[in-house]
mmCIF file of all heavy atoms in Angstrom:
data_model
loop_
_atom_site.group_PDB
_atom_site.id
_atom_site.type_symbol
_atom_site.label_atom_id
_atom_site.label_comp_id
_atom_site.label_asym_id
_atom_site.label_seq_id
_atom_site.Cartn_x
_atom_site.Cartn_y
_atom_site.Cartn_z
ATOM 1 N N HIS A 30 -25.867 -15.992 -9.688
ATOM 2 C CA HIS A 30 -25.731 -17.440 -9.863
ATOM 3 C C HIS A 30 -24.573 -17.796 -10.811
ATOM 4 O O HIS A 30 -24.426 -18.948 -11.197
ATOM 5 C CB HIS A 30 -27.025 -18.045 -10.382
ATOM 6 C CG HIS A 30 -28.159 -17.894 -9.440
ATOM 7 N ND1 HIS A 30 -28.178 -18.465 -8.192
ATOM 8 C CD2 HIS A 30 -29.318 -17.200 -9.551
ATOM 9 C CE1 HIS A 30 -29.289 -18.146 -7.577
ATOM 10 N NE2 HIS A 30 -30.001 -17.372 -8.379
ATOM 11 N N CYS A 31 -23.782 -16.797 -11.195
ATOM 12 C CA CYS A 31 -22.646 -17.002 -12.091
ATOM 13 C C CYS A 31 -21.337 -16.794 -11.334
ATOM 14 O O CYS A 31 -21.326 -16.240 -10.244
ATOM 15 C CB CYS A 31 -22.679 -15.975 -13.227
ATOM 16 S SG CYS A 31 -24.110 -16.058 -14.305
ATOM 17 N N PHE A 32 -20.253 -17.231 -11.936
ATOM 18 C CA PHE A 32 -18.948 -16.846 -11.427
ATOM 19 C C PHE A 32 -18.087 -16.399 -12.591
ATOM 20 O O PHE A 32 -18.282 -16.800 -13.723
ATOM 21 C CB PHE A 32 -18.280 -17.956 -10.608
ATOM 22 C CG PHE A 32 -17.682 -19.066 -11.419
ATOM 23 C CD1 PHE A 32 -16.377 -18.993 -11.867
ATOM 24 C CD2 PHE A 32 -18.425 -20.189 -11.715
ATOM 25 C CE1 PHE A 32 -15.816 -20.021 -12.613
ATOM 26 C CE2 PHE A 32 -17.887 -21.224 -12.453
ATOM 27 C CZ PHE A 32 -16.578 -21.143 -12.903
ATOM 28 N N ALA A 33 -17.157 -15.522 -12.272
ATOM 29 C CA ALA A 33 -16.240 -14.994 -13.276
ATOM 30 C C ALA A 33 -14.839 -15.481 -12.952
ATOM 31 O O ALA A 33 -14.409 -15.435 -11.800
ATOM 32 C CB ALA A 33 -16.275 -13.474 -13.277
ATOM 33 N N LEU A 34 -14.139 -15.940 -13.948
ATOM 34 C CA LEU A 34 -12.747 -16.350 -13.818
ATOM 35 C C LEU A 34 -11.920 -15.202 -14.379
ATOM 36 O O LEU A 34 -12.012 -14.885 -15.561
ATOM 37 C CB LEU A 34 -12.505 -17.634 -14.599
ATOM 38 C CG LEU A 34 -11.125 -18.249 -14.500
ATOM 39 C CD1 LEU A 34 -10.789 -18.600 -13.061
ATOM 40 C CD2 LEU A 34 -11.070 -19.504 -15.372
ATOM 41 N N GLU A 35 -11.141 -14.560 -13.519
ATOM 42 C CA GLU A 35 -10.437 -13.341 -13.910
ATOM 43 C C GLU A 35 -8.938 -13.456 -13.701
ATOM 44 O O GLU A 35 -8.483 -14.172 -12.827
ATOM 45 C CB GLU A 35 -10.962 -12.157 -13.087
ATOM 46 C CG GLU A 35 -12.071 -11.400 -13.750
ATOM 47 C CD GLU A 35 -11.676 -10.812 -15.087
ATOM 48 O OE1 GLU A 35 -10.487 -10.546 -15.358
ATOM 49 O OE2 GLU A 35 -12.587 -10.604 -15.893
ATOM 50 N N ASP A 36 -8.192 -12.695 -14.497
ATOM 51 C CA ASP A 36 -6.734 -12.694 -14.377
ATOM 52 C C ASP A 36 -6.191 -11.313 -14.029
ATOM 53 O O ASP A 36 -5.000 -11.079 -14.105
ATOM 54 C CB ASP A 36 -6.088 -13.197 -15.666
ATOM 55 C CG ASP A 36 -6.359 -12.287 -16.854
ATOM 56 O OD1 ASP A 36 -7.184 -11.360 -16.733
ATOM 57 O OD2 ASP A 36 -5.744 -12.496 -17.902
ATOM 58 N N SER A 37 -7.077 -10.385 -13.668
ATOM 59 C CA SER A 37 -6.622 -9.039 -13.322
ATOM 60 C C SER A 37 -7.441 -8.484 -12.165
ATOM 61 O O SER A 37 -8.597 -8.876 -11.951
ATOM 62 C CB SER A 37 -6.749 -8.095 -14.522
ATOM 63 O OG SER A 37 -8.111 -7.799 -14.773
ATOM 64 N N HIS A 38 -6.841 -7.551 -11.438
ATOM 65 C CA HIS A 38 -7.558 -6.919 -10.328
ATOM 66 C C HIS A 38 -8.729 -6.086 -10.829
ATOM 67 O O HIS A 38 -9.788 -6.065 -10.201
ATOM 68 C CB HIS A 38 -6.598 -6.069 -9.493
ATOM 69 C CG HIS A 38 -5.587 -6.891 -8.763
ATOM 70 N ND1 HIS A 38 -5.898 -7.640 -7.661
ATOM 71 C CD2 HIS A 38 -4.280 -7.104 -9.006
ATOM 72 C CE1 HIS A 38 -4.814 -8.269 -7.242
ATOM 73 N NE2 HIS A 38 -3.818 -7.975 -8.047
ATOM 74 N N ASN A 39 -8.565 -5.415 -11.967
ATOM 75 C CA ASN A 39 -9.685 -4.661 -12.536
ATOM 76 C C ASN A 39 -10.836 -5.592 -12.898
ATOM 77 O O ASN A 39 -12.000 -5.254 -12.709
ATOM 78 C CB ASN A 39 -9.250 -3.884 -13.780
ATOM 79 C CG ASN A 39 -8.626 -2.560 -13.435
ATOM 80 O OD1 ASN A 39 -8.765 -2.058 -12.329
ATOM 81 N ND2 ASN A 39 -7.925 -1.982 -14.383
ATOM 82 N N GLY A 40 -10.525 -6.751 -13.436
ATOM 83 C CA GLY A 40 -11.561 -7.726 -13.767
ATOM 84 C C GLY A 40 -12.288 -8.226 -12.534
ATOM 85 O O GLY A 40 -13.506 -8.388 -12.541
ATOM 86 N N VAL A 41 -11.553 -8.465 -11.461
ATOM 87 C CA VAL A 41 -12.163 -8.902 -10.202
ATOM 88 C C VAL A 41 -13.107 -7.821 -9.684
ATOM 89 O O VAL A 41 -14.246 -8.113 -9.297
ATOM 90 C CB VAL A 41 -11.084 -9.247 -9.156
ATOM 91 C CG1 VAL A 41 -11.689 -9.446 -7.784
ATOM 92 C CG2 VAL A 41 -10.307 -10.481 -9.581
ATOM 93 N N ARG A 42 -12.660 -6.583 -9.683
ATOM 94 C CA ARG A 42 -13.516 -5.478 -9.218
ATOM 95 C C ARG A 42 -14.768 -5.369 -10.088
ATOM 96 O O ARG A 42 -15.877 -5.183 -9.593
ATOM 97 C CB ARG A 42 -12.751 -4.166 -9.238
ATOM 98 C CG ARG A 42 -11.768 -4.028 -8.106
ATOM 99 C CD ARG A 42 -11.258 -2.595 -7.993
ATOM 100 N NE ARG A 42 -10.375 -2.232 -9.089
ATOM 101 C CZ ARG A 42 -9.057 -2.397 -9.077
ATOM 102 N NH1 ARG A 42 -8.470 -2.924 -8.031
ATOM 103 N NH2 ARG A 42 -8.334 -2.035 -10.110
ATOM 104 N N SER A 43 -14.589 -5.482 -11.377
ATOM 105 C CA SER A 43 -15.691 -5.368 -12.317
ATOM 106 C C SER A 43 -16.739 -6.472 -12.100
ATOM 107 O O SER A 43 -17.929 -6.200 -12.012
ATOM 108 C CB SER A 43 -15.136 -5.427 -13.737
ATOM 109 O OG SER A 43 -16.141 -5.348 -14.692
#
Side-chain angles (χ1 to χ4, degrees):
H30 297 297
C31 298
F32 77 89
L34 184 60
E35 267 300 335
D36 64 351
S37 72
H38 293 286
N39 276 343
V41 169
R42 284 192 289 270
S43 179

